[in-house]
Amino acid sequence: MTGLDTTVPHSARRYNYWLGGKDNFEADRHSGDAIAERWPDIITAARENRLFLRRSVRYAVRHVGVRQFLDIGTGLPTADNTHQVAQAIDPFCRILYVDNDPLVLTHARALLTSTPEGGCAYLEGDVRVPEKILEDPALQETLDLSQPVVLMLVAVMHFVSDADDPYRVVATLLDALPSGSLLVLSHASYDLIPAEQAARLIEEDYPGKEGFHSRTRAEVSAFFEGLRLLGQPGPAGGGSRRPGLISEWRRGPEDGQVPPRSAVSTWGGVGRKP
Ligand SMILES: C[S@@+](CC[C@H](N)C(=O)[O-])C[C@H]1O[C@@H](n2cnc3c(N)ncnc32)[C@H](O)[C@@H]1O
């Protein structure tokens, strides 16, 4: 496997560690512990993020009728991956998984297997270079871009710095998708965590700090510019103009007890391209 450096913490493997998985190395666990020491609710936030992913995929297939997914920042396979949730409702769903961690791609190829009716493909790609993802033949082979696609950017854009122009990244990807396509995006934030924890996360040095970029609710809202937010209650039933807390987005009884807002501190939503 080329490009795999197990001595440097990686977001996919650290997330796997927080979720109780086994696909992680000493450097990932060390970084995961250092972050959790300063942000003890990060594990609750990670679990809530998975529940949001599951609810949003179900909603896209069942309520909006979109059956194609471009899932960038796939993560190491765990329970309820995008294609499993989607194909359980409609086995004809098609998914292109994209990640920049070679370990994710190796595991994904082995474990993320499609129904015979639908399709799953995997691409090693970097969300910061969206043009390369869009030009890859795997995209055209897997997805029909004349039909709506769900662009999944779940817990990935907080790894993209302002220097890499995250808003241009999302706009470039959405521009390539037809009307009726959806953006599913979640993004961790220091907005709701206690001030002294946020201060430690910002001021102290610890492994994994440099790759993470917290954004405020207003900054996360800007990813949804020009889209209509779906599935969110708003004033007078008109829908909210801003993404909300992921734990509150169409939560169902199967998702368990609602955690405190400060424990989640992750903004997200589902937006539809007009
Ligand atoms: C926190 S995990 C989220 C996984 C999954 N989307 C979820 O929400 O459960 C972040 C994923 O994004 C991937 N990632 C981080 N930076 C990336 C980049 N620049 N391009 C593509 N993938 C990236 C990591 O390898 C990891 O698999």
Side-chain angles (χ1 to χ4, degrees):
M1 204 184 300
T2 53
L4 179 68
D5 182 353
T6 60
T7 64
V8 177
H10 194 284
S11 57
R13 301 169 222 151
R14 187 173 56 219
Y15 182 66
N16 172 269
Y17 172 57
W18 286 330
L19 290 172
K22 298 209 170 1
D23 300 314
N24 47 72
F25 301 93
E26 182 54 36
D28 309 310
R29 294 189 285 273
H30 181 53
S31 165
D33 289 341
I35 295 171
E37 187 198 321
R38 294 162 179 83
W39 188 347
D41 288 319
I42 191 76
I43 292 155
T44 302
R47 286 202 204 105
E48 284 297 321
N49 186 64
R50 288 301 297 181
L51 295 177
F52 169 71
L53 182 146
R54 187 171 74 178
R55 292 197 298 274
S56 60
V57 171
R58 279 190 187 147
Y59 177 81
V61 181
R62 198 173 273 153
H63 296 281
V64 192
V66 184
R67 293 178 172 76
Q68 309 191 89
F69 293 81
L70 174 56
D71 184 340
I72 308 182
T74 304
L76 284 154
T78 171
D80 289 336
N81 300 292
T82 298
H83 77 288
Q84 287 157 329
V85 179
Q87 293 184 339
I89 301 169
D90 183 341
F92 287 89
C93 287
R94 304 186 65 79
I95 295 93
L96 178 63
Y97 285 115
V98 183
D99 206 284
N100 71 343
D101 181 2
L103 189 70
V104 166
L105 271 300
T106 306
H107 285 243
R109 280 198 184 93
L111 295 174
L112 304 184
T113 49
S114 173
T115 54
E117 300 91 339
C120 271
Y122 320 92
L123 183 60
E124 186 164 345
D126 192 317
V127 73
R128 294 169 296 184
V129 196
E131 295 80 3
K132 240 180 131 190
I133 297 173
L134 294 168
E135 281 162 11
D136 198 287
L139 187 110
Q140 300 287 344
E141 283 158 20
T142 315
L143 306 176
D144 172 2
L145 293 193
S146 71
Q147 297 297 318
V149 174
V150 185
L151 171 61
M152 307 277 299
L153 293 171
V154 182
V156 65
M157 293 311 292
H158 47 230
F159 299 118
V160 178
S161 70
D162 287 346
D164 285 314
D165 204 345
Y167 299 106
R168 188 198 71 88
V169 163
V170 176
T172 304
L173 291 165
L174 281 173
D175 276 352
L177 306 179
S179 162
S181 292
L182 304 183
L183 169 67
V184 174
L185 183 145
S186 68
H187 194 300
S189 172
Y190 295 155
D191 279 0
L192 302 180
I193 64 175
E196 63 278 14
Q197 282 180 23
R200 284 191 72 194
L201 286 157
I202 293 163
E203 285 155 20
E204 295 180 0
D205 275 333
Y206 49 91
K209 174 187 181 178
E210 56 294 334
F212 175 76
H213 309 279
S214 167
R215 292 193 172 89
T216 63
R217 187 177 189 185
E219 288 167 335
V220 176
S221 301
F223 287 112
F224 292 89
E225 188 70 46
L227 306 182
R228 179 161 174 260
L229 285 169
L230 303 180
Q232 292 196 170
S240 170
R241 286 200 197 88
R242 297 197 300 166
L245 212 57
I246 52 164
S247 49
E248 293 170 1
W249 190 87
R250 292 182 61 89
R251 192 180 190 84
E254 71 280 11
D255 296 315
Q257 240 189 333
V258 188
R261 304 186 92 224
S262 60
V264 180
S265 204
T266 302
W267 303 116
V270 177
R272 182 194 227 151
K273 185 171 169 175

